[in-house]
Amino acid sequence: MDKRDYIIIGLLVVIIAMLAYGVYNSYVDSQPETFDLGDFKVAGPAGSHYHKGINDTIFYLGENESMPVFEIGEMQNFSANDFKEMIDVYNKGEISKTEIIKSFNEEIGSDVSMKALDFNVGDFRGEPEVSILCQNPYDGTKTMLMHMVLHNNDKTYLVLEFMDNPVSTSMYNSLILK
């Protein structure tokens, strides 16, 4: 073997190493990340990150911080008793779905440029939940779900799920409140 053969073998080793490194990195980048932030745990896609504010945590994909994919926070101005009272009033028929939507649009929606489209009472893993289907305030055309969940009868969480983004729905489905 002469010098030329050694150079070719060396180049082949470098190319194979670069390919193996690329395959490994793409595998690592495709693995979901689990965020354990004390009060809750949620799984996001690789490359997602979050900003934790005073009342909530906003998740983004990559470096694009203009479009959040998921948001969660404890509702400071809406106690567990307020939540229970709202559900009781609705379940007793003292207020209709239409009246709730109208009230939301006049009070909360006007402050944040969001319009409620539908309202539903259900449960989130056995705990009381109210879901309000809204227009997405970031673009006005696509919809998002505002989930209000009463956890352990003492904390009310607000979770925003952006319906046009499957990542958001996946994160909501992975959510564990502690």
Side-chain angles (χ1 to χ4, degrees), residues 81-99:
N81 290 335
D82 294 335
F83 187 93
K84 291 173 192 172
E85 185 180 322
M86 177 182 67
I87 289 180
D88 285 345
V89 167
Y90 176 73
N91 286 338
K92 290 177 184 173
E94 295 173 12
I95 188 168
S96 70
K97 185 185 280 194
T98 308
E99 291 171 315

Side-chain angles (χ1 to χ4, degrees), residues 46-107:
S48 55
H49 66 284
Y50 66 92
H51 292 293
K52 193 166 186 175
I54 294 169
N55 292 331
D56 54 11
T57 301
I58 304 172
F59 289 85
Y60 300 92
L61 276 182
E63 298 304 312
N64 182 6
E65 294 181 11
S66 62
M67 288 291 285
V69 292
F70 189 73
E71 190 170 340
I72 180 172
E74 185 179 342
M75 296 180 74
Q76 302 295 325
N77 300 329
F78 198 75
S79 70
N81 290 335
D82 294 335
F83 187 93
K84 291 173 192 172
E85 185 180 322
M86 177 182 67
I87 289 180
D88 285 345
V89 167
Y90 176 73
N91 286 338
K92 290 177 184 173
E94 295 173 12
I95 188 168
S96 70
K97 185 185 280 194
T98 308
E99 291 171 315
I100 291 172
I101 292 171
K102 182 180 177 190
S103 173
F104 177 88
N105 288 336
E106 289 172 355
E107 294 173 23

Side-chain angles (χ1 to χ4, degrees), residues 3 8 16 34 39 43 62 85 90 107 121 125 143 145 150 160 172 175:
K3 261 185 166 181
I8 290 173
I16 290 170
T34 300
D39 291 338
E85 185 180 322
Y90 176 73
E107 294 173 23
V121 175
R125 293 184 174 80
T143 55
L145 271 172
L150 179 62
L160 300 183
Y172 177 70
L175 180 63

